[in-house]
Amino acid sequence: MTDTFEMKPGHLQQGDLRLLRDGGPTLQLEEAAWAAVEQSAQLVFDVSHGGERVYGINTGFGSLANTSIPNERLRDLQRHIVLSHAAGVGEPLADHIVRLTLALKINALAQGFSGCRRATIEALIALYNADALPVIPSKGSVGASGDLAPLAHLSCALIGVGEVRLEGETLPADVALERLGMAPLLLEPKEGLALLNGTQVSTALAIDGLLRGAGNLAAATVAGAMCVDASLGADTPFDARISDVRGQPGQIAMARAYRDLLEGSAIRLSHEDCDHVQDPYSLRCQPQVMGACLDHLRFAAGVLLCEANAVTDNPLVFTAQGDVLSGGNFHAEPVAMVSDVIALALAEIGSLSERRIALLTDSRMSQLPPFLVQDSGVNSGFMIAQVTAAALASENKQRAAPASIDSLPTSANQEDHVSMATHAARRLAEMNDNLSDIIAIELLASAQGIDFRKPLETSVPLKNAHELVRGVADFWDQDRLMAPDIAGVTELVRGGAFGAMTPDLVFE
């Protein structure tokens, strides 16, 4: 990791998003970017003093857009919009989401289409670099006109209002600014609106959901391959010729991943000539189902990278033509729709994994001891672990219902169609939590099944996965407390231990 991340506004790459979310390097803006920022701010100043009525600069907001504001009240206008719009509720957003939101807001405003001064953007950069994170309630945005309430809470910190998390403490914003040697900002025309208008919160939540989803997809791929070996499944369905004639790129990539993971397995070779014809779909159709999930996650990655680099406040300032144009880039429909797509993929990955757990625990299907434990009857083994996986998979299916088809008019019907992007993206965190737990249960069950196949050995990659599981959870020789085993493997899944065994399929 480098000590400094130099941001070229509007040119973030996929790898930058994870880095900016997790923090570490000092963020600085490319020096060449400041000229556009200063020209944009100057045009807003000129317009605000020129007598022409321009939305967001010298008018009210939303349905009050036809109300003219006199010059001596323009600063009041910007401060008031920040204060009044900070109406969020619910638990605060996680630190890593706020950190990424700050970075995305800097990236948008620094492109020079928003009219913000250099001092305002530098204040955001200072907060990011100090890891001084505004406390942002998680609920209260409908995803148009942007993430108004949550971004207003972020903006409050700049004017010394609200709370900020700094060095493990939650402080009044003015106290945090003083500790950082910063003074509260006096917002100039359009700055308040530019700060709280935009899709950065929804986008940060969706990007986090995507990054975690990509890790879960990789871990589920390892778990699925382990299950194939543990249940004496065939590797014929992963033959490249099958996927090639269909031509779906995700399926082709996933079939290759399963082939690579199973290569050299003595368990597989032991039943190569058996008379078993076909495996259940949860084994046989993994390339097809997981491939579709992969394709959709890749699609979402492209949309979200575009949105991460987008300018989404309103109105927009075009200095080359001297125009300030009112449009609708704040409408977060792209983020809402791809959040729905990600949710569908997460639900399906979990659904398939749960079915494989059920297969392993059913001795008629897996040719393993009932519920993966000797002396079953006295021991219940993985019986209720499978029930837990079923509960989580069902919950994720319910959460996957599309959010983007919903809309409720706001602002006296001026904002009469909204995206619901924020909660569409926010639910992805809990869905990923559920999915990690499902995958952990499958990894435990598959490791148990592979142990029952001894002295036959699985492939080298899957032996490595097995060793990771056994590093936190011993072989299940008789019933014991199950929850710590699940928690231990879940921690490995969330930390990326199993994902490292496959290529980065989503972002390759």
Side-chain angles (χ1 to χ4, degrees), residues 432-455:
N432 271 305
D433 286 346
N434 290 343
L435 179 54
S436 296
D437 286 330
I438 296 168
I439 296 165
I441 293 169
E442 184 182 3
L443 286 162
L444 282 163
S446 296
Q448 189 78 358
I450 284 173
D451 282 331
F452 278 123
R453 301 300 180 193
K454 290 179 178 177

Side-chain angles (χ1 to χ4, degrees), residues 206-406:
I207 288 169
D208 181 64
L210 173 69
L211 292 172
R212 293 187 60 195
N216 275 328
L217 176 108
T221 304
V222 175
M226 285 182 72
C227 182
V228 169
D229 244 9
S231 60
L232 301 181
D235 64 349
T236 303
F238 312 138
D239 190 299
R241 292 169 291 182
I242 295 172
S243 295
D244 286 348
V245 297
R246 192 175 199 182
Q248 294 287 354
Q251 178 180 331
I252 291 169
M254 294 306 303
R256 184 186 311 116
Y258 290 116
R259 289 197 303 275
D260 291 344
L261 287 166
L262 287 160
E263 174 93 34
S265 167
I267 297 174
R268 179 180 60 82
L269 292 173
S270 72
H271 60 92
E272 217 173 21
D273 299 321
C274 71
D275 57 4
H276 182 67
V277 179
Q278 288 187 331
D279 293 323
Y281 288 0
S282 60
L283 297 179
R284 184 170 22 130
C285 297
Q286 287 186 85
Q288 289 77 12
V289 177
M290 296 287 280
C293 294
L294 172 59
D295 282 334
H296 284 79
L297 292 177
R298 285 174 170 174
F299 166 72
V303 173
L304 291 175
L305 180 61
C306 182
E307 194 71 7
N309 284 307
V311 181
T312 55
D313 63 292
N314 185 64
L316 296 176
V317 180
F318 296 92
T319 55
Q321 300 82 21
D323 291 333
V324 180
L325 304 181
S326 185
N329 280 4
F330 50 69
H331 201 296
E333 194 78 5
V335 182
M337 285 190 167
V338 295
S339 295
D340 284 343
V341 167
I342 295 168
L344 290 172
L346 299 181
E348 282 297 272
I349 295 167
S351 178
L352 198 66
S353 178
E354 184 279 325
R355 286 293 80 205
R356 292 192 298 265
I357 298 166
L359 183 153
L360 287 168
T361 57
D362 185 344
S363 59
R364 296 166 300 177
M365 300 289 290
S366 66
Q367 302 175 54
L368 292 166
F371 301 106
L372 298 171
V373 67
Q374 297 286 16
D375 200 13
S376 52
V378 173
N379 291 311
S380 296
F382 281 69
M383 180 187 294
I384 303 305
Q386 185 269 325
V387 173
T388 297
L392 296 172
S394 182
E395 185 176 318
N396 272 5
K397 291 174 189 178
Q398 294 169 20
R399 290 183 178 276
S404 59
I405 60 171
D406 189 22

Side-chain angles (χ1 to χ4, degrees), residues 46 55 85 97 118 183 205 231 237 266 275 309 343 358 388 399 473 478:
D46 293 343
Y55 174 74
H85 284 48
I97 299 297
R118 178 171 183 153
L205 287 163
S231 60
D275 57 4
N309 284 307
T388 297
R399 290 183 178 276
Q478 63 178 4

Side-chain angles (χ1 to χ4, degrees), residues 419-502:
S419 72
M420 302 299 180
T422 318
H423 68 260
R426 192 180 68 242
R427 67 179 157 166
L428 300 177
E430 191 163 359
M431 290 186 71
N432 271 305
D433 286 346
N434 290 343
L435 179 54
S436 296
D437 286 330
I438 296 168
I439 296 165
I441 293 169
E442 184 182 3
L443 286 162
L444 282 163
S446 296
Q448 189 78 358
I450 284 173
D451 282 331
F452 278 123
R453 301 300 180 193
K454 290 179 178 177
L456 295 172
E457 291 189 338
T458 187
S459 67
V460 171
L462 297 183
K463 275 196 283 189
N464 293 335
H466 178 272
E467 288 170 7
L468 279 174
V469 172
R470 287 289 170 254
V472 296
D474 292 336
F475 176 75
W476 195 272
D477 54 353
Q478 63 178 4
D479 284 351
R480 62 176 186 265
L481 189 62
M482 173 69 81
D485 288 359
I486 297 172
V489 180
T490 296
E491 194 64 28
L492 293 174
V493 171
R494 291 178 183 167
F498 298 100
M501 298 178 177
T502 65

